[in-house]
Amino acid sequence: MDYLDGLNPSQRAAVEQTEGPVMIVAGAGSGKTRVITYRVAHLIRKDVDPFNILVLTFTNKAAKEMRERIMKVVGNEAKNIWMGTFHSVFAKLLRVESTKIGYPSNFTIYDTDDSKSLLRAIIKEKQFDEKLYNVNFVYNRISSSKNNLVSPAAYLQNAQIQAEDFSTGRGSIGEIYQIYAQRCFKAGAMDFDDLLYKTNVLLREHPEVLYKYQNKFKYLMVDEYQDTNYSQYLIVKKLAANNENICVVGDDAQSIYAFRGANIQNILNFEKDYPDLKVYKLEQNYRSTQNIVNVANSIIANNKNQLKKSVFSENETGDKIKVYRAFSDNEEGKIVAEAIAQEQALKGSKYHDFAILYRTNAQSRAMEEALRKLNVPYKIYGGLSFYQRKEIKDLIAYFRLTFNPNDEEAIKRIINYPRRGIGDTTIERIMIAADQNNLTIWEIICNAHKYLDSRSSGSVANFALLIQSFQVMTKTHSAYDTALHIAQHSTLLKDLYSDKSVEGLSRYENIQELLNGIKEFSEREDIEERSLDIFMQDVALLTNDDNDKNPDADTVSLMTIHSAKGLEFDNVFVVGLEENLFPSQMSLSSRTDLEEERRLFYVGITRAGKKLTLSYATSRYRWGTLTSCEPSRFIEEIDARYLELDFKQAQKKTDNPFLDEERSPWQQKEMFSKPKPSSSVRTSSILPKAHVPSEGFSPSDTSGLQVGMEVEHERFGFGKVINMEGNKPDIKATIFFKDLGQKQLLLKFAKLRIIK
């Protein structure tokens, strides 16, 4: 029993309670994996046959790690445990039993691409509008139906579902679902969702099979139970019905996958299914400092729908949590990158000790650029590097072709994207004609009527005219206006906008983020050349694929908080903490959605072991318009005792001619001690807001500008000129801005309004 000696009292009690229904509420960093593995090992040590134990996880990595740990205690007997992800375990079960529901034992498992390819073919065969019946939307609709155990027949008979489809003009989704299911069955194939859906069908329609596995799996354990959907919940409930030796492990405070169908009520209402339930709470956090744990507790306390627990840490108190305020997302990236570089240099930390977490993948752009400029190595997890994402590469290919029409790779990438009726055969003919006539591909395209048949030459000629119109645009318009025009008139934006899936929305947001970056570039006041081709040059230098491919390389980790779940780092930066970004705008319509956003923030915070930093920007570009941002309500919900506000420029009292010595909100930290409002009531933030230009703002003629004059900048706010240098037309003014400190601007680009 020596393997139990290293457990704390709560952990040991949970391990030793092997009989009956058990729920282990495991706070972040509380040793959950150790408890699960030792509990399984303890069962085997008590002579439970490993073949009678079923352990369900959500990742293969978790299953592998657990099995290896169990082997260290019980040896090779651990190999006989039925352990793995829901999908892998029930695929194994279906291989044995699938003939009972009409499938061969060697059925094919379709991946997402296979499924979408079949759906695409069905939509085309039925001559449905491919934009209206976007394949990603249809796929997600069918997937959601299966996870809620809605069959094709039930889908077609459900009046509410049908009414919803018809209201969006997609009344034939049920028909597509039915044909898709028939085609899969005829092909002897199951898709990913079928592995759970068909298991439910099998257990429902064949009581003898259910009885067989109820008796086989005498002990069930489910990891991350808060992430289970209805289909998973029902399978587990049926299998445990006879013996009720079921143990679920999870943390309702880390339930963040509702968009995938996860139902937090499964864990919140677990006691209703098992009145004799024994509950064990793992509340000691071994990962984080006391300050980080206290911050996490003060955040999650605002959720009403939760299982109450008191997480604590006996680690060192640790640093207070820094809150950085930046003027823009680019400045936020710079602040974060500099903080990492400084920490690494001063303390000798490894880069892999750092993680930058954000709400959406599009936010990685500013972080990546700032890290590259300081030569800080990084790796994107859970997604591609911003400039390597398909949609970004597609739009950049249009930019490349506009400035260099002989760029063959760009031509091949976008000549038929979005679709314009130029198939592979036509592209092949263009390349052959170019080779035979010793011409470039672009020259063939521009003279399509000479080298191609009449059926295909029209579409190719229209493509040439489109690119030529973009070339004309570059001569008279700014980088941003040109980029936006290309994104719109290539119909790339429209194509992405029509995809209403989660993935489609993310791709659309990424294009928005690229355009935002170009907008900022086109308005920079520290450079003279700000055309789109110069931006492209900067991007090309920024994105050379010279990264070390070694997965063990010492790199900073960049990822969404969803991707970070289950991971831990010594130093964590949670960035972009602004209203409508985090919490996201879509989450503000209901308490349920807002509470999930708060749980997501909680997950981000609890990834940190030694040091946690939060940041937000007071302005961001949204579709080319500079938008003021309000600090996230989540910052306000944190007990101020654990915060350190790092607004450096605003704190330089002696140098700031505008600072109110008597009352500076971001310096008067005692204001935080006022009673907090309830989470359902919003108050104005005590954190400083972005500058809003004066009504009727219009730049003045600055030819007579002098030291001592007070001015207003559209973005930087109010300031006083403290120095001027240089000769016309390159006069530079040093201006001290009230909220941002000292900045040097080139007058011919500065767009200042002279106040007096």
Side-chain angles (χ1 to χ4, degrees):
M1 303 291 281
D2 57 330
Y3 60 93
L4 300 179
D5 293 342
L7 301 175
N8 68 35
S10 297
Q11 291 173 331
R12 182 159 185 157
V15 166
E16 293 183 324
Q17 181 61 52
T18 58
E19 306 302 309
V22 173
M23 179 166 68
I24 302 173
V25 182
S30 62
K32 176 196 70 171
T33 302
R34 171 183 284 194
V35 170
I36 295 173
T37 54
Y38 281 11
R39 193 174 189 275
V40 174
H42 193 59
L43 283 168
I44 296 173
R45 283 285 185 91
K46 290 177 65 177
D47 294 328
V48 173
D49 190 334
F51 285 100
N52 296 142
I53 301 173
L54 172 62
V55 181
L56 297 169
T57 68
F58 274 83
T59 67
N60 290 311
K61 179 183 175 183
K64 182 181 178 182
E65 181 184 349
M66 288 179 192
R67 194 183 298 274
E68 288 173 350
R69 289 195 189 186
I70 295 169
M71 285 181 69
K72 290 179 180 179
V73 180
V74 301
N76 287 334
E77 280 293 297
K79 295 180 179 179
N80 298 326
I81 304 166
W82 276 60
M83 176 182 287
T85 65
F86 275 88
H87 292 89
S88 66
V89 166
F90 294 115
K92 180 180 176 181
L93 185 151
L94 285 168
R95 291 290 182 200
V96 178
E97 310 291 349
S98 59
T99 55
K100 294 181 174 62
I101 54 174
Y103 282 84
S105 59
N106 64 340
F107 61 85
T108 299
I109 298 176
Y110 278 172
D111 64 16
T112 302
D113 288 342
D114 294 326
S115 298
K116 289 182 179 179
S117 178
L118 176 54
L119 286 170
R120 200 175 284 111
I122 294 169
I123 292 167
K124 189 173 183 179
E125 289 166 12
K126 299 298 292 183
Q127 298 184 336
F128 294 139
D129 185 335
E130 293 182 28
K131 290 185 177 179
L132 185 61
Y133 288 93
N134 178 278
V135 70
N136 291 316
F137 181 89
V138 174
Y139 172 83
N140 289 332
R141 188 76 167 163
I142 292 173
S143 175
S144 177
S145 299
K146 289 183 179 181
N147 286 330
N148 286 288
L149 304 184
V150 178
S151 68
Y155 192 105
L156 287 166
Q157 293 168 8
N158 188 298
Q160 182 178 344
I161 293 175
Q162 291 298 296
E164 185 178 337
D165 284 350
F166 277 103
S167 70
T168 63
R170 300 184 180 93
S172 297
I173 287 182
E175 182 184 354
I176 296 171
Y177 181 14
Q178 188 174 53
I179 296 171
Y180 173 75
Q182 292 169 349
R183 296 272 282 271
C184 285
F185 182 77
K186 188 176 180 180
M190 295 187 199
D191 65 21
F192 204 59
D193 297 309
D194 278 329
L195 297 175
L196 301 181
Y197 176 76
K198 297 298 183 183
T199 298
N200 270 293
V201 171
L202 175 70
L203 299 180
R204 183 184 68 224
E205 296 182 356
H206 295 273
E208 75 283 2
V209 175
L210 174 59
Y211 180 77
K212 171 184 174 181
Y213 287 99
Q214 284 176 337
N215 283 278
K216 178 176 179 60
F217 301 133
K218 292 183 169 62
Y219 293 86
L220 278 74
M221 289 194 70
V222 185
D223 189 18
E224 304 286 9
Y225 190 68
Q226 76 280 351
D227 293 334
T228 53
N229 60 29
Y230 179 64
S231 181
Q232 292 162 330
Y233 159 80
L234 211 56
I235 292 172
V236 170
K237 186 179 180 183
K238 286 179 178 178
L239 290 176
N242 268 10
N243 299 297
E244 291 199 349
N245 290 326
I246 179 172
C247 174
V248 300
V249 185
D251 181 5
D252 60 296
Q254 297 185 65
S255 178
I256 58 174
Y257 294 118
F259 68 95
R260 293 182 188 169
N263 186 356
I264 192 175
Q265 297 304 320
N266 291 348
I267 193 168
L268 294 178
N269 297 328
F270 192 67
E271 191 168 2
K272 292 182 180 179
D273 289 331
Y274 303 96
D276 298 331
L277 180 71
K278 290 183 172 61
V279 179
Y280 298 90
K281 296 181 180 181
L282 308 183
E283 298 173 307
Q284 182 172 355
N285 182 307
Y286 291 93
R287 174 189 304 154
S288 307
T289 65
Q290 293 178 34
N291 274 334
I292 292 172
V293 169
N294 290 336
V295 165
N297 286 341
S298 66
I299 284 292
I300 205 64
N302 289 275
N303 272 9
K304 291 185 176 181
N305 203 14
Q306 62 173 301
L307 299 170
K308 293 292 185 182
K309 56 184 178 297
S310 301
V311 179
F312 66 95
S313 173
E314 293 182 354
N315 295 338
E316 62 182 354
T317 303
D319 295 339
K320 288 190 174 184
I321 282 62
K322 267 191 180 177
V323 181
Y324 284 118
R325 178 196 64 179
F327 168 71
S328 66
D329 53 349
N330 279 352
E331 187 179 55
E332 182 183 37
K334 180 182 177 184
I335 289 172
V336 170
E338 288 177 347
I340 291 173
Q342 184 176 21
E343 184 85 6
Q344 191 271 341
L346 293 178
K347 297 186 179 180
S349 304
K350 297 292 186 181
Y351 286 121
H352 63 238
D353 293 332
F354 296 88
I356 302 174
L357 309 181
Y358 33 76
R359 180 63 181 83
T360 67
N361 275 313
Q363 291 170 256
S364 75
R365 178 191 64 82
M367 297 296 149
E368 288 186 69
E369 292 183 1
L371 291 169
R372 283 184 180 273
K373 286 176 181 176
L374 292 181
N375 293 317
V376 174
Y378 67 89
K379 183 176 181 180
I380 300 284
Y381 288 81
L384 294 169
S385 172
F386 184 84
Y387 289 107
Q388 293 301 311
R389 293 167 185 154
K390 180 185 181 300
E391 61 276 11
I392 299 300
K393 294 182 76 171
D394 289 337
L395 184 52
I396 285 177
Y398 274 102
F399 298 163
R400 284 166 48 187
L401 195 57
T402 298
F403 290 99
N404 178 16
N406 292 321
D407 187 333
E408 292 187 14
E409 291 304 311
I411 290 175
K412 288 188 285 187
R413 185 177 188 91
I414 59 162
I415 191 170
N416 197 39
Y417 179 74
R419 293 185 180 183
R420 49 177 61 90
I422 304 175
D424 291 342
T425 302
T426 300
I427 296 171
E428 186 176 349
R429 287 173 181 166
I430 291 171
M431 297 180 72
I432 291 171
D435 184 61
Q436 290 177 343
N437 294 278
N438 197 28
L439 297 172
T440 65
I441 292 176
W442 178 248
E443 287 172 322
I444 299 297
I445 289 172
C446 290
N447 297 278
H449 61 283
K450 290 184 180 179
Y451 300 100
L452 302 174
D453 58 53
S454 57
R455 186 177 61 178
S456 56
S457 62
S459 298
V460 174
N462 287 337
F463 175 73
L465 287 172
L466 179 70
I467 300 302
Q468 288 166 346
S469 71
F470 296 163
Q471 292 170 337
V472 172
M473 182 91 179
T474 63
K475 298 175 182 177
T476 56
H477 290 72
S478 70
Y480 172 75
D481 290 338
T482 302
L484 180 60
H485 179 88
I486 292 173
Q488 291 173 334
H489 288 78
S490 65
T491 70
L492 187 148
L493 263 183
K494 184 179 179 182
D495 188 73
L496 293 174
Y497 184 75
S498 66
D499 183 357
K500 301 300 184 183
S501 67
V502 174
E503 297 87 351
L505 177 61
S506 177
R507 287 190 286 268
Y508 186 71
E509 288 175 344
N510 288 338
I511 291 294
Q512 174 185 333
E513 182 63 14
L514 176 62
L515 293 172
N516 288 344
I518 296 172
K519 177 69 170 181
E520 289 191 1
F521 170 83
S522 67
E523 295 191 350
R524 283 176 59 181
E525 295 165 354
D526 58 339
I527 58 173
E528 294 190 26
E529 286 291 324
R530 293 174 289 176
S531 59
L532 186 57
D533 57 334
I534 299 298
F535 175 83
M536 291 301 301
Q537 175 182 298
D538 288 352
V539 168
L541 293 173
L542 197 65
T543 59
N544 279 338
D545 191 15
D546 55 0
N547 291 338
D548 188 352
K549 301 301 181 183
N550 180 3
D552 298 320
D554 187 23
T555 56
V556 175
S557 299
L558 275 68
M559 65 188 81
T560 64
I561 300 177
H562 282 104
S563 298
K565 189 168 180 288
L567 303 178
E568 57 184 82
F569 304 89
D570 284 350
N571 301 276
V572 169
F573 293 79
V574 181
V575 302
L577 280 163
E578 299 137 36
E579 287 290 296
N580 298 321
L581 180 58
F582 198 10
S584 72
Q585 189 169 12
M586 291 187 294
S587 73
L588 301 180
S589 58
S590 73
R591 178 177 296 280
T592 299
D593 292 340
L594 179 59
E595 291 201 349
E596 172 141 339
E597 286 288 293
R598 190 176 284 111
R599 293 194 295 271
L600 186 62
F601 184 40
Y602 176 88
V603 167
I605 288 172
T606 54
R607 298 313 92 199
K610 296 180 179 177
K611 193 169 184 177
L612 172 68
T613 304
L614 311 177
S615 66
Y616 70 96
T618 58
S619 64
R620 283 183 191 267
Y621 276 98
R622 296 185 185 277
W623 291 112
T625 301
L626 187 68
T627 306
S628 296
C629 301
E630 181 182 353
S632 171
R633 68 187 68 195
F634 296 155
I635 298 177
E636 293 181 352
E637 292 173 355
I638 299 173
D639 190 321
R641 289 177 295 169
Y642 311 120
L643 295 181
E644 177 185 340
L645 307 185
D646 197 320
F647 307 148
K648 295 176 181 176
Q649 289 142 332
Q651 292 174 351
K652 294 178 181 178
K653 289 187 179 183
T654 57
D655 297 332
N656 191 337
F658 292 94
L659 190 62
D660 181 352
E661 298 285 350
E662 298 299 321
R663 190 172 183 82
S664 177
W666 52 92
Q667 292 175 330
Q668 300 297 322
K669 293 186 181 180
E670 60 270 20
M671 292 180 67
F672 274 111
S673 62
K674 291 182 179 180
K676 289 184 178 292
S678 67
S679 59
S680 61
V681 180
R682 290 287 293 125
T683 61
S684 60
S685 173
I686 65 168
L687 300 174
K689 307 291 193 302
H691 176 68
V692 178
S694 301
E695 187 174 352
F697 177 90
S698 179
S700 304
D701 176 4
T702 56
S703 59
L705 190 69
Q706 297 178 13
V707 172
M709 285 187 170
E710 294 181 12
V711 296
E712 179 185 11
H713 187 279
E714 188 176 14
R715 293 185 293 170
F716 302 154
F718 297 101
K720 179 176 286 188
V721 181
I722 59 176
N723 187 44
M724 295 181 67
E725 60 185 63
N727 301 311
K728 293 183 179 180
D730 297 319
I731 298 175
K732 295 179 181 178
T734 302
I735 303 173
F736 196 102
F737 288 99
K738 179 179 178 181
D739 293 327
L740 298 172
Q742 187 172 299
K743 287 187 175 291
Q744 191 175 67
L745 305 178
L746 203 59
L747 277 188
K748 63 182 178 182
F749 295 125
K751 298 180 181 177
L752 299 170
R753 181 177 75 88
I754 298 175
I755 300 173
K756 60 180 180 178

